[in-house]
Amino acid sequence: MSVDSSRMRADARDNRRRILEAAREVFTARGLEVPMATIARRADVGVATLYRHFPARQALVTAVFEGQLAECLSVIDEGLADPDPWRGFRTVVENLAAAQATGHGRTEGMFTQFGGTPDFERRRARAERDFAELTRRAKASGHLRPDFTRADLTLLMMTSAGITAPTPEAEIAAARRHVGFLLQSFQSDQPLPPPAPLGLYCVPEDPRAR
């Protein structure tokens, strides 16, 4: 392989990495319908370069969230396998919040339709169904408050994403402490205000994504 050919491949890999990083930031801040040109500008590549790597939005969305979906499914499977419904629910919430806090497995959109590839959408729908089953079991056990909704998980993920600490270990510890407080309220029978109508992308717009 020639030096020029090797350099071209390295440049292509770098462009793909920057596109994926930019898309992840912009999707999280503004949702999935943001113009592809906005993502290209954020990645500092041309629109043609973006489409050369990802000919359709579906392909880009899937590439951005594939790893997060796989991790999310693994965590939920672990919770469902636990014979103790409340412990299984608690473990899933703790692990998802820790991943959200550290940024290693963002869960934005895991429970909402992405418009990704058909296989991706099937697995995303399974994650939603399985978490709903986990919630049902925890409620049936008498440990999870009956008015808990999926929007409450969204709220927890949003607040976990705001956790900052000097090290990943400290972020995980803070996330677990944060979830510990919330899990106490999840068990409470004290009345709460109605749940907020939150989608996974109901977060303040990041001005850098414009």
Side-chain angles (χ1 to χ4, degrees):
M1 184 186 299
S2 69
V3 174
D4 287 346
S5 179
S6 297
R7 177 57 186 270
M8 288 174 63
R9 291 195 177 188
D11 288 345
R13 287 195 298 270
D14 184 58
N15 286 339
R16 180 184 173 85
R17 176 188 58 77
R18 287 191 285 122
I19 290 167
L20 288 172
E21 289 176 355
R24 185 176 296 111
E25 293 170 359
V26 174
F27 286 158
T28 298
R30 297 178 57 179
L32 299 177
E33 298 306 316
V34 65
M36 297 287 268
T38 300
I39 297 170
R41 286 197 301 272
R42 183 68 167 259
D44 195 25
V45 300
V47 175
T49 298
L50 188 154
Y51 278 108
R52 196 156 51 242
H53 287 276
F54 302 101
R57 183 182 297 271
Q58 274 192 337
L60 178 57
V61 170
T62 298
V64 167
F65 291 108
E66 180 66 35
Q68 289 88 332
L69 178 58
E71 180 172 345
C72 183
L73 283 168
S74 177
V75 168
I76 294 174
D77 286 344
E78 179 184 350
L80 285 172
D82 194 319
D84 183 325
W86 173 243
R87 185 174 60 200
F89 176 88
R90 188 176 68 237
T91 298
V92 168
V93 171
E94 288 174 346
N95 288 340
L96 291 180
Q100 185 80 343
T102 59
H104 302 305
R106 295 287 191 180
T107 58
E108 291 93 353
M110 287 301 103
F111 302 104
T112 195
Q113 189 163 1
F114 275 168
T117 62
D119 177 65
F120 185 96
E121 283 302 317
R122 281 192 296 271
R123 291 187 296 130
R124 180 214 54 79
R126 179 167 77 84
E128 182 175 352
R129 289 193 304 270
D130 287 353
F131 184 79
E133 173 62 13
L134 194 69
T135 300
R136 185 196 67 76
R137 292 183 190 180
K139 288 181 178 180
S141 74
H143 288 89
L144 179 62
R145 60 186 304 138
D147 60 350
F148 178 88
T149 73
R150 194 177 67 186
D152 295 320
L153 177 66
T154 299
L155 185 60
L156 186 151
M157 292 299 105
M158 291 169 64
T159 56
S160 296
I163 292 174
T164 58
T167 66
E169 293 76 16
E171 287 177 334
I172 291 173
R176 295 200 183 284
R177 178 80 170 178
H178 171 64
V179 170
F181 283 123
L182 291 177
L183 285 170
Q184 293 293 321
S185 68
F186 288 171
Q187 297 180 86
S188 173
D189 59 1
Q190 296 299 310
L192 289 174
L198 296 175
L200 266 291
Y201 291 98
C202 289
V203 294
E205 181 176 322
D206 183 349
R208 295 173 302 171
R210 293 175 180 167

